[in-house]
Amino acid sequence: MTGCAVLAELVCARLTHDLSGPLATIGAAVEILGLDDPAARQEALGLAGEAAGQLARRLKYLRAAWGAGQQALSVAAIAAMAEGVLAAGRASLDISRVVAPDQPLGPLGRVLMNALLVAGEALPRGGTIVCAGDPATQLVIQPAGEGAAWPAGLAALIAGEDPLAIASAGGPRGVAAPMMMVLARREGVTVSLLMGGVLPLLSLAPPRSAE
């Protein structure tokens, strides 16, 4: 039970961190709206609107990735929710090489959402996250950008390391990879790293019963 509490605390800390930025911008904009300066108020309205959009997108994505709902997910639906979210909005998602992107993912859905968050963490300066493959058999994820590198601990997680230990070591910023593995093990999704390029591909395979 202690481990569950630690993971819950880390997820909560990550949520508040990801949502605090847009909230702070909205708060600052509201203060400017009280000034007797039409130009400043107009600029503040624009900033507040942009921040509100960011807040809504992040909240929707993280609620689907970490919540307990049974939302029907497809690669296309996840890509729509991921716009402006991955790597704090610095990474774009390319799903052009996914077969049947509208196919329901079932147990693969939330695992994929967390895998995309992990890929975002692999791009400290932003870039592109490529998702390719067939949801019925295998999806692969490749982050591409300057300084791209999978987060520390990912290989150990996939090799069987305790997700709670990795989560405790990585802190709130690294909670997506442990969450990905917790969900994958619960849902029977096979996660692996495929060697062969500059950066290994992250592979997700659905349970055999879903093939």
Side-chain angles (χ1 to χ4, degrees):
M1 294 301 293
T2 300
C4 293
V6 169
L7 188 57
E9 289 169 352
L10 292 172
V11 169
C12 182
R14 173 64 183 270
L15 278 169
T16 54
H17 174 271
D18 282 11
L19 302 181
S20 62
L23 279 173
T25 301
I26 293 171
V30 169
E31 291 184 5
I32 295 173
L33 289 174
L35 300 178
D36 186 18
D37 185 336
R41 291 201 303 268
Q42 187 63 36
E43 183 178 358
L45 281 173
L47 289 173
E50 182 180 343
Q54 291 176 353
L55 180 63
R57 288 191 296 271
R58 292 182 187 183
L59 183 59
K60 183 177 181 180
Y61 191 95
L62 294 176
R63 181 173 57 197
W66 295 339
Q70 298 298 317
Q71 181 177 356
L73 297 170
S74 66
V75 172
I78 290 172
M81 285 191 286
E83 186 175 353
V85 172
L86 304 177
R90 297 187 302 273
S92 60
L93 177 60
D94 178 3
I95 63 167
S96 61
R97 282 171 274 184
V98 173
V99 176
D102 294 315
Q103 176 179 318
L105 293 173
L108 195 59
R110 290 173 64 200
V111 179
L112 174 60
M113 295 192 80
N114 280 275
L116 293 175
L117 289 173
V118 176
E121 294 172 5
L123 294 170
R125 298 178 181 85
T128 301
I129 299 170
V130 177
C131 180
D134 187 340
T137 54
Q138 181 189 48
L139 290 174
V140 294
I141 299 165
Q142 180 180 42
E146 184 181 355
W150 289 114
L154 179 60
L157 270 172
I158 292 174
E161 183 68 37
D162 180 9
L164 293 175
I166 298 294
S168 297
R173 293 186 63 183
V175 76
M179 281 295 294
M180 175 185 71
M181 291 307 303
V182 167
L183 290 168
R185 292 174 186 177
R186 187 185 74 179
E187 302 293 350
V189 173
T190 301
V191 181
S192 56
L193 286 172
L194 305 179
M195 308 303 291
V198 176
L199 198 66
L201 299 175
L202 182 61
S203 168
L204 308 177
R208 292 185 180 275
S209 60
E211 295 181 3

